[in-house]
Amino acid sequence: MTEVPTYTFKDFASDQEVRWCPGCGDYVILRGVQKALPMMGKRKEDFVFVSGIGCSSRFPYYLDTYGFHSIHGRAPAVATGVKLANPHLSVWVITGDGDGLAIGGNHMIHAIRRNINLNIVLFNNKIYGLTKGQFSPTSDLGHKTKSSPYGNIQAPFNFGELTIGAAGQFYARIPDNNPNEMADIMVAAEKHKGASVIEILQNCVIFNDGAFDGYTDKTVRDDAMISLKHGEKMIFGKEKNKGIRFNGRQLEAVTIGENGITENDILVHDAHDPNPSMHFMLTQLQHPLPIGIIRSVEVDTFDDRVEDQVQGAQQRSKFKSVDDLLFSGETYQV
Amino acid sequence: MLDDAPAITNGQEKSNVKLDHVVIRFAGDSGDGMQLTGSQFSDTSAMLGNDIATFPNYPAEIRAPEGSVYGVSGFQVHIGEVEISTPGDDVDVLVAMNPAALITNFDSVSPGKTIIVNSDEFTAKNLAKAGYTSNPLEDGSLASYHLVKAPITKLSRETVKDMGLDNSSMNRTRNMFALGMVFWMFSRPLDYTIKYLEKKFGKKPEIFQSNVKVLKAGYNFAETLELLPSAFTVMPAKMTKGTYRIIMGNTATAWGFLAAAEKSGKQLFLGSYPITPASDILHELSEHLHFGVRTFQAEDEISGICSALGAAFTGSLALTTTSGPGLALKSEAIGLAVMTELPVVVVDVQRGGPSTGLPTKTEQADLLQAMYGRNGESPVIILAPSTPANCFDYAYEASRLALEHMTPVILLSDGYIANGSAPWLIRSMKDMPPINPAPAPTGGEEWLPYLRDEDSLARRWAIPGMPGFEHRIGGLEKEDGTGNISYDPLNHEHMVKLRAEKVKRVENYIPELEIDGAQSGDLLVIGWGGTFGSLHTAIKYMHEEGHSIGLAHFHYLNPMPKNTAEVLSRFKKIVVCELNLGQFATLLKSKFPEFNYLQYNKVQGLPFTVMELNNHFRQLMGLS
Ligand code: SF4
């Protein structure tokens, strides 16, 4: 192996004009990815970005890597083929809440449960952007959209719950306004062996502006979100005096120093715990909203198992060429 | 067809009768092991040098209720000293393991032919289940047949009573008794089957021993039985010298892909979702990981082909296998393959449709779906194998065309040839034509993702991992050359025409159409795909009788061979024979409107019989 060149984010920018709406959260994500790629220690030609259809799925065109803009919902399936054909590649799925959780929901859960070593980045803006404003599988109940003028009556998915329910081993959630932290999570996702799911809370300025303001607005964010770090106490708040504890039934936000609560009552985040129960509860917590890497557990991957089987069969088999097979077994002369 | 078959009458003295071909059908409950029985008989016959063709006919239900008519499973074997191209129309020997098997197969047996029944199963209950109001073994309705009543259940159980088998294992040896009887009738040795049983049951000696004992008991029973008047001999066929094996169509398809992967130096990838009658290709390739094959059983049909597209993008020889309903689900992704100009082979083992249709029966009604079943102008190459053995060649050819022309190829097999088996003069790898996949770009030249070969128009194939050729492809319309997204109206029209022209030019890379029988004259029979055996046999007889009849059988359906119009012009009448309502005829009419096309169509889930074809051709030629 020759040494990996030192790249900067410019090396990963393509010559294509970026066509998202001005102010779209996707720009920040693009910056986050372009920042993250040089930090991964991989050669540029070994990255493949696969997307489906939707605003998010234009992403591969804006990166100077191998890219495949496929069809609606199918990116995890295409990416699975890429990874199985060449497991050495770093394969990324770029998708959205409509693409990945509605039309492509089946591929999504199966990619996750197989634990194939893909990095799946889902831009969740809780709306259909490219088709101009219909509710999506993550839209809140009551949300008035073009296709729900009286309010959305379809209960939404929580992608974190879904990931862990599908036996996912890596799940991170991050808002779209912090490219540095986003880059760190992407690097961690790349390092993680297995299906790594990153949900990005992405603001669509045109059709669902401010969908996450309740969490991300400067005036509230320190108290509305909690940034989880493995091995650290789950403490948050402007004053760093709030925390999460387990009250025997569920998680709850508490204030240290009130009602006899001390720091000892506050949970320590263990992202590597194989038991997903705590991670599941964390994905369900709404106040504060956990962000960061919620779960990261390494178990065998599908692509490794495929390679093991192939190599094992190659070592054991008496067939060295197809001729050996064609003339094997019950043949006869005429 | 078998006019020379002996007219057997009851209770005659033993003799040995020579036949040039004979058709035997084994029929029983789907749990009776009829497929195994039939294939043992055909394999043994092939080893003795007979030409053979087989036709399994099994129900869609895995285990339908015992004794029911819809649970009847059949396996037909046609063996001959002469060339055998079909499993045969008329059954010479029917083995019926129960009343349901008799009633459902009775129509295929003409008076004078032999029917062997397991008389133990003709109980009041089973007769009622099959819909008989009186027992055909006793009411005289089979008087004009040579009826052999064998108490197969009783004798089999008696044979193994001391072997310590449980009740159902005892009953499961019955098929060996029937097989032993038929082996005796046709003077076949038992050793091939004994070897087979040893391999299959070697770890369970009591099962192995009891099956062998029952097989021999059946053989001896037939030998000593007064009711079986004749032993028949079918001499070896005059076949090209060489090494043969018996191969099933689906196996041959799988092996054709293995051969293409080795020849092209590409890794083989199969993304597939199980579906009848295509799953055997997935099973077979999954056995051969040692050739570096990656098989991926996906969560659905769409993932099957999309994973194949991912693998094609990454430089593999990529496949997906399916049947009609699955082809429908793959439509959008095939369009993506057309648009991105990636090589992928889609195997459609056709079955009766529409919708779920007749999953285990054959039909040729997916042709227009393959041709047009996508949004937009979306041309693909379409090929069809025509025999179980040449599934190997056309799987290989489909791979060659996909890899060399950077385009999807649909291979239209069908349930009839996929499950049928025949002797295959084994092709050696050194005799297979070269495959030169679209080249990767080299560093020294100017490179764009959609730069093309001047002659074939195939684009170059840069694959992830190659430094300096990072590029993006996708389903949006693209500018020629750069591949950049383009909504320019004139560019779109240019690209649509270019993709069509690319597929059309494949005609320069495929062989010309050949005619079987008369090279010009009165009647040209046109067929494609799995009907070859029946059409070939039908026209052969008539041509030998001196009639001016020829067969143009198409393996290349899109594009068609360059000399097609010229071939069509050589005959006074043209009849297009298909197991659908006229799909290929429709294509021919639109492509070559200057000719008149007659049609002969059948949509019963069954192949053509030679007899019905002959009758029809005679009518068309004014011979009857
Ligand atoms: S519609 Fe919304 S998601 Fe799409 S580009 Fe515009 S702002 Fe971004």
Side-chain angles (χ1 to χ4, degrees), chain B residues 20-37:
Chain B
D20 66 357
H21 64 136
V22 67
V23 176
I24 302 152
R25 186 184 294 174
F26 298 89
D29 251 336
S30 48
D32 272 342
M34 291 295 102
Q35 310 296 323
L36 182 141
T37 311

Side-chain angles (χ1 to χ4, degrees), chain A residues 8 26 47 59 69 154 168 186 227 230 281 302 315 331 333:
Chain A
T8 69
D26 292 2
F47 288 107
F59 202 90
H69 179 214
Q154 296 192 16
M186 298 211 170
S227 176
H230 174 72
M281 284 191 281
F302 175 56
Q315 278 159 18
T331 63
Q333 300 296 322

Side-chain angles (χ1 to χ4, degrees), chain A residues 149-199:
Chain A
Y150 299 106
N152 175 28
I153 49 175
Q154 296 192 16
F157 268 141
N158 170 335
F159 190 33
E161 270 179 22
L162 191 71
T163 301
I164 290 174
Q169 304 296 344
F170 184 104
Y171 172 74
R173 185 194 276 148
I174 186 90
D176 67 2
N177 56 8
N178 188 341
N180 290 330
E181 199 171 341
M182 198 185 292
D184 289 342
I185 286 182
M186 298 211 170
V187 171
E190 213 294 317
K191 293 237 148 35
H192 175 82
K193 285 179 61 129
S196 310
V197 174
I198 303 173
E199 177 182 8

